[in-house]
Amino acid sequence: MISRPHRPLIACVAYTLLHIGLQVVAQNFEVAPGLSVWYPPAGLALGLLILLGPRFAPLIFVVNALVAIPTTRSGALWAPLLFPFLITAYYTGLAWWIRRVHGPRLLPGSFRQTLTFTAAVILGPAGMALVGSGAAVLTGLTPASGMGWATVLWWVGDSSGLLTVLPPILVFAAPWLGVAGPSERHQVRRANIASAGFLFACVALILSLALVFTLDSSFHFQALSLCFLPLIWICLRHGLPGATLATLFVTMAGLAGLHFTPGTREQIVGFLFFELTFTGVG
């Protein structure tokens, strides 16, 4: 049994390892230099800052700097530190606002909770995209003519990363860290996500997604509506914990399908908009 005072330290180690690993995975989905349509490290960083507080911002900065150094194209000494600093400062400010308005349990529920959650995971990355793209233009990494498209890609990548990673962190890690209230801990235990019914529903969900990539030869994703039936089934039977895992499975399986299916950049972004819709319904 891990004592509660040691759990934040374990969470920090887990964050560091997951950030490095998912950074490598996200590079497989780059649609422009340094811009991925799925960037889960953003969700990891915001989740850690929401649960443990802005005092952990130095860890976010150090880990971002470590992964930025090998991939920075500019020869300036300050270049590997600029974007880690901007990312850390922005998401630390966003986490501070969330904790001040809503506390450390950012989950949809009441109208106010849902509004805060939506603003954090949809509108929040838009500001980071504008700041990051503007800095890329000012430093010469991105031409001024490409700032608009770079901003859209940055926003899609961070939003999809937040929607994929943030809900499971807040649903499952918060009770373990002692952040969630008794009713939320009870909800996670009551979900029974290890049941055979949940596993069967997830298999149906993945099979529905597989049909999209094998039968939709036009790659227009009309068949993606098949995925909503098992998703609603999971949500009704297993609540928010089941919904978070279902959306995570669809994102990972869909990105794997995109990796092995030839498609244009616009089609990849189109799938990510489906993923945003799918996660919102969940």
Side-chain angles (χ1 to χ4, degrees), residues 15 18-30 34-46 60 63-68 71 83-84 87 91 125 128 153-166 251-252 255 272 275:
Y15 162 77
L18 285 172
H19 184 123
I20 295 173
L22 291 175
Q23 178 79 25
V24 175
V25 175
Q27 290 174 358
N28 293 320
F29 303 102
E30 286 189 353
L35 293 175
S36 172
V37 292
W38 180 63
Y39 192 69
L44 291 174
L46 186 59
I60 306 297
V63 175
N64 273 279
L66 287 175
V67 298
T71 58
F83 290 100
I87 292 170
Y91 281 115
M128 183 65 248
L153 293 177
W154 194 315
W155 171 73
V156 170
D158 277 19
S159 291
S160 63
L162 262 62
L163 279 170
T164 304
V165 175
L166 191 59
T251 300
M252 299 305 298
L255 290 171
L272 265 295
E275 188 262 328

Side-chain angles (χ1 to χ4, degrees), residues 193-239:
I193 56 176
S195 66
F198 176 73
L199 295 177
F200 181 77
C202 287
V203 170
L205 187 61
I206 300 303
L207 288 177
S208 299
L209 192 61
L211 287 174
V212 175
F213 287 94
T214 56
L215 299 181
D216 190 3
S217 59
S218 63
F219 208 66
H220 290 158
F221 300 117
Q222 292 95 336
L224 283 172
S225 56
L226 291 172
C227 299
F228 285 96
L229 293 177
L231 171 67
I232 295 172
W233 177 13
I234 291 172
C235 292
L236 291 176
R237 292 295 302 272
H238 303 283

Side-chain angles (χ1 to χ4, degrees), residues 16-255:
T16 302
L17 297 177
L18 285 172
H19 184 123
I20 295 173
L22 291 175
Q23 178 79 25
V24 175
V25 175
Q27 290 174 358
N28 293 320
F29 303 102
E30 286 189 353
V31 290
L35 293 175
S36 172
V37 292
W38 180 63
Y39 192 69
L44 291 174
L46 186 59
L48 185 73
L49 291 168
I50 290 174
L51 293 179
L52 299 182
R55 67 183 184 276
F56 286 86
L59 173 66
I60 306 297
F61 173 76
V62 170
V63 175
N64 273 279
L66 287 175
V67 298
I69 290 173
T71 58
T72 301
R73 293 177 293 161
S74 175
L77 294 177
W78 51 264
L81 303 180
L82 174 62
F83 290 100
F85 172 78
L86 293 175
I87 292 170
T88 303
Y90 185 87
Y91 281 115
T92 299
L94 182 60
W96 174 86
W97 173 76
I98 290 169
R99 289 171 64 90
R100 182 177 177 86
V101 171
H102 187 60
R105 298 187 297 274
L106 179 67
L107 289 173
S110 66
F111 175 78
R112 183 169 180 263
Q113 291 171 326
T114 304
L115 187 63
T116 307
F117 178 83
T118 303
V121 301
I122 300 296
L123 302 180
M128 183 65 248
L130 285 171
V131 171
S133 299
V137 171
L138 292 175
T139 55
L141 297 176
T142 300
S145 59
M147 180 178 173
W149 184 240
T151 301
V152 171
L153 293 177
W154 194 315
W155 171 73
V156 170
D158 277 19
S159 291
S160 63
L162 262 62
L163 279 170
T164 304
V165 175
L166 191 59
I169 290 175
L170 297 174
V171 168
F172 296 102
W176 184 76
L177 289 169
V179 174
S183 61
E184 291 168 305
R185 290 195 291 268
H186 176 69
Q187 183 186 21
V188 172
R189 289 195 298 268
R190 185 171 171 269
N192 195 19
I193 56 176
S195 66
F198 176 73
L199 295 177
F200 181 77
C202 287
V203 170
L205 187 61
I206 300 303
L207 288 177
S208 299
L209 192 61
L211 287 174
V212 175
F213 287 94
T214 56
L215 299 181
D216 190 3
S217 59
S218 63
F219 208 66
H220 290 158
F221 300 117
Q222 292 95 336
L224 283 172
S225 56
L226 291 172
C227 299
F228 285 96
L229 293 177
L231 171 67
I232 295 172
W233 177 13
I234 291 172
C235 292
L236 291 176
R237 292 295 302 272
H238 303 283
L240 190 59
T244 58
L245 292 181
T247 55
L248 179 63
F249 291 159
V250 164
T251 300
M252 299 305 298
L255 290 171

